[in-house]
């Protein structure tokens, strides 16, 4: 099959996947689309078909499969020389993202939590110390379906956006969620445009469009799912794009890292890339400027948030999500202390392996190579966290796809694709089984077998493959013994 035909089929599969995801949202309240209280004429808009949950499981599984296959075909065609105008894909991806913003969120009920935290902040309550169950009579907070006894875990900039949405939406859950989706759309578009402008040539721009703007799995999780992780991605990629080894750019990169951390704390990992470059080059005033700028933004946002801003983060550090490989170990040991030590050790090992395996870009001047080195180190840190952390959800993978889009192509693209596709199947839908319209057998099978057994086993296999690939890349890049130690 020619590269052109492969790429065309890949785009067709991506289009089919996005069509299935859009259909799921358009049909309205269902097992995948939580009900949004509010006026019928207010956005987001949908029909009121109320399709059976079993049908939607089939539709979304087909969408995930088609999206993963389509992206794999496009990446294969790209390696073989296929080219289409990247700007067209960027435009198409942004149009689909905008369409999702005007439709009700799909998959989980997290957007109801965001609306509740914003309502708390807008009405004078501390979302870091208040639970939804504490305010059962509020029309917005009462819409929370899950995590009713959990205060906010999100950073103060995310909370500020949620409060803004609440002030606009008032007593309407629908309008509040719609404003939150618009904020996500703005962040998604900023990240897309930064990646497009940062890419060195048309091939890199096309790859960035496929990995981010037209990535059907990211459009499903971040835009259709309305997860606020996308808001942290925008300053993450902007920080790496802005970084230069000079005072002004270093301060800007540090400030953007601080802003990303104030949305979702793990986003701060990208700051490790610029920091590594500056420390290794012994540009001593500049690392201090980087840390000072990041610290200043973090202090300016976290200090007003109050003493409870980190409470839920501490609690979350003890959690293990059902679909990660750590769940298998947790089921056997029932010892979270061992898991804490184990995942930190695994992450450090993966950082070292990925640092040696992720591709280097030999082109460009010394400054350009330094910037690329910073992005590569940042990618190693972010990807190591994604693969090692015991509590992960599929929409967290947006961090990984965004940093990968800044690097040259490698086998890591395919590894990430398999991970995200498999991970996606664990959360269809990502809701409490008691709340969804599914047959009793399916309501048991999806979380108890697929999410808790099959997917963790498959992701363990993906992790093993990642380690083997990293070791193989390191051996391949190492100079022969004769070259490394010339004879005397």
């Amino acid at each position: 099959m020619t590269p052109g035909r492969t790429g065309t089929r890949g785009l067709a599969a991506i289009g089919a996947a996005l069509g299935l995801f859009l259909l799921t949202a358009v049909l309205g309240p269902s097992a995948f689309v939580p009900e949004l209280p509010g006026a019928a004429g207010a956005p987001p808009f949908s029909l009121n078909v109320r399709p059976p949950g079993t049908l939607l499981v089939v539709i979304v599984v087909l969408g995930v499969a088609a999206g993963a296959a389509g992206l794999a075909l496009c990446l294969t065609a790209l390696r073989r020389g296929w080219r289409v105008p990247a700007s067209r894909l960027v435009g198409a991806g942004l149009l689909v993202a905008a369409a999702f913003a005007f439709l009700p969120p799909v998959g989980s009920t997290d957007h109801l939590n965001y609306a509740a935290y914003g309502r708390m902040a807008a009405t004078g309550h501390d979302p870091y110390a208040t639970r939804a169950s504490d305010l059962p009579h509020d029309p917005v907070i009462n819409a929370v379906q899950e995590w009713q006894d959990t205060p906010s875990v999100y950073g103060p900039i995310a909370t500020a956006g949620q409060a803004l949405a609440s002030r606009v939406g008032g007593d309407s859950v629908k309008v509040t969620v719609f404003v939150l989706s618009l904020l996500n759309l703005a962040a998604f578009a900023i990240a897309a445009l930064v990646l497009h402008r940062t890419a060195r040539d048309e091939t890199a721009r096309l790859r960035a469009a496929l990995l981010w703007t037209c990535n059907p799995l990211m459009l499903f999780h971040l835009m259709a799912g309305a997860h606020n992780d996308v808001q942290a991605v925008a300053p993450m990629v902007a920080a790496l794009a802005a970084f230069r080894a000079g005072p002004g750019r270093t301060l800007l990169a540090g400030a953007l890292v601080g802003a990303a951390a104030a949305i979702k704390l793990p986003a701060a990992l990208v700051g490790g890339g610029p920091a590594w470059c500056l420390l290794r080059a012994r540009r001593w005033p500049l690392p201090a400027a980087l840390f000072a700028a990041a610290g200043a933004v973090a202090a300016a946002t976290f200090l007003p948030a109050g003493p409870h801003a980190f409470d839920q983060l501490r609690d979350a550090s003890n959690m293990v999500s059902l679909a990660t490989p750590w769940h298998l170990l947790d089921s056997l040991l029932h010892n979270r202390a061992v898991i804490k030590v184990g995942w930190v050790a695994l992450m450090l090992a993966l950082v070292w392996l990925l640092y040696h395996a992720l591709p280097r870009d030999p082109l460009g001047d010394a400054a350009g190579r330094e910037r690329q080195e910073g992005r590569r180190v940042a990618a190693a840190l972010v990807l190591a966290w994604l693969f090692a952390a015991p509590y992960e959800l599929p929409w967290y993978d947006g961090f990984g796809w965004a940093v990968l889009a800044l690097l040259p192509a490698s086998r890591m693209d395919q590894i990430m694709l398999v991970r995200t596709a498999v991970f996606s199947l664990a959360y269809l839908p990502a809701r409490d089984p008691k709340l969804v319209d599914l047959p009793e057998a399916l309501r048991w099978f999806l979380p108890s077998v697929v999410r808790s057994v099959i997917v963790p086993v498959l992701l363990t296999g993906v992790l093993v493959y990642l380690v083997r690939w990293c070791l193989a890349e390191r051996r391949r890049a190492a100079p022969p013994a004769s070259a490394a130690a010339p004879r005397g």
Side-chain angles (χ1 to χ4, degrees), residues 254-443:
L256 289 166
V257 169
I263 297 171
K264 192 159 188 176
L265 196 58
L269 289 169
V270 297
W276 166 260
C277 291
L278 296 173
L279 290 169
R280 193 176 67 164
R282 300 184 180 182
R283 302 172 185 260
W284 299 122
L286 294 181
L290 181 78
F291 293 128
V297 172
T301 53
F302 276 100
L303 288 178
H308 298 290
F310 294 98
D311 288 357
Q312 191 55 33
L313 285 169
R314 287 194 294 270
D315 293 342
S317 67
N318 293 313
M319 298 171 67
V320 177
S321 53
L322 295 178
T324 64
W326 291 107
H327 171 65
L328 302 175
L329 187 62
D330 187 43
S331 301
L332 296 173
L333 298 181
H334 303 289
N335 190 326
R336 296 291 171 88
V338 172
I339 291 176
K340 278 187 174 181
V341 174
W343 90 257
V344 172
L346 175 61
M347 179 173 171
L348 293 175
L350 287 177
V351 170
W352 183 82
L353 288 169
L354 287 163
Y355 174 75
H356 289 92
L358 290 173
R360 292 173 168 82
D361 190 348
L363 302 178
D365 56 14
R369 289 194 295 273
E370 183 177 57
R371 291 194 299 273
Q372 191 65 21
E373 178 72 359
R375 295 167 189 173
R376 198 170 63 84
V377 173
L381 289 164
V382 170
L383 292 168
W385 168 69
L386 286 174
F387 278 84
Y391 191 86
E392 292 287 340
L393 296 167
W395 39 94
Y396 295 6
D397 282 9
F399 287 11
W401 285 107
V403 294
L404 267 183
L406 290 164
L407 301 183
S410 71
R411 181 60 61 85
M412 191 66 217
D413 298 349
Q414 286 73 34
I415 295 173
M416 192 69 187
L417 177 56
V418 173
R419 170 194 157 87
T420 304
V422 170
F423 214 173
S424 299
L425 297 176
Y427 292 92
L428 299 179
R431 300 178 64 187
D432 185 339
K434 301 184 185 70
L435 302 176
V436 297
D437 175 27
L438 289 173
E440 187 63 34
L442 197 56
R443 197 183 300 174

Side-chain angles (χ1 to χ4, degrees), residues 147-326:
W147 305 95
Q148 292 184 346
D149 295 318
T150 305
S152 177
V153 71
Y154 306 106
I157 292 181
T159 300
Q162 293 161 3
L164 171 63
S166 181
R167 291 188 177 95
V168 175
D171 292 343
S172 172
V173 177
K174 286 188 70 175
V175 176
T176 303
V177 168
F178 174 63
V179 176
L180 289 169
S181 293
L182 292 181
L183 294 176
N184 285 353
L185 175 62
F188 185 83
I190 289 170
L193 296 176
V194 169
L195 291 171
H196 185 75
R197 294 293 299 273
T198 302
R200 185 185 61 218
D201 53 30
E202 186 62 16
T203 301
R205 285 189 284 272
L206 179 55
R207 179 171 172 275
L210 290 169
L211 265 57
W212 179 254
T213 323
C214 277
N215 185 328
L217 300 181
M218 288 300 94
L219 283 165
F220 173 64
H221 287 300
L222 297 177
M223 295 310 303
H227 291 287
N228 64 5
D229 305 73
V230 68
Q231 295 179 23
V233 171
M236 284 172 64
V237 297
L240 295 177
F243 172 64
R244 303 286 190 280
R249 289 299 192 96
T250 297
L251 287 170
L252 176 59
L256 289 166
V257 169
I263 297 171
K264 192 159 188 176
L265 196 58
L269 289 169
V270 297
W276 166 260
C277 291
L278 296 173
L279 290 169
R280 193 176 67 164
R282 300 184 180 182
R283 302 172 185 260
W284 299 122
L286 294 181
L290 181 78
F291 293 128
V297 172
T301 53
F302 276 100
L303 288 178
H308 298 290
F310 294 98
D311 288 357
Q312 191 55 33
L313 285 169
R314 287 194 294 270
D315 293 342
S317 67
N318 293 313
M319 298 171 67
V320 177
S321 53
L322 295 178
T324 64
W326 291 107

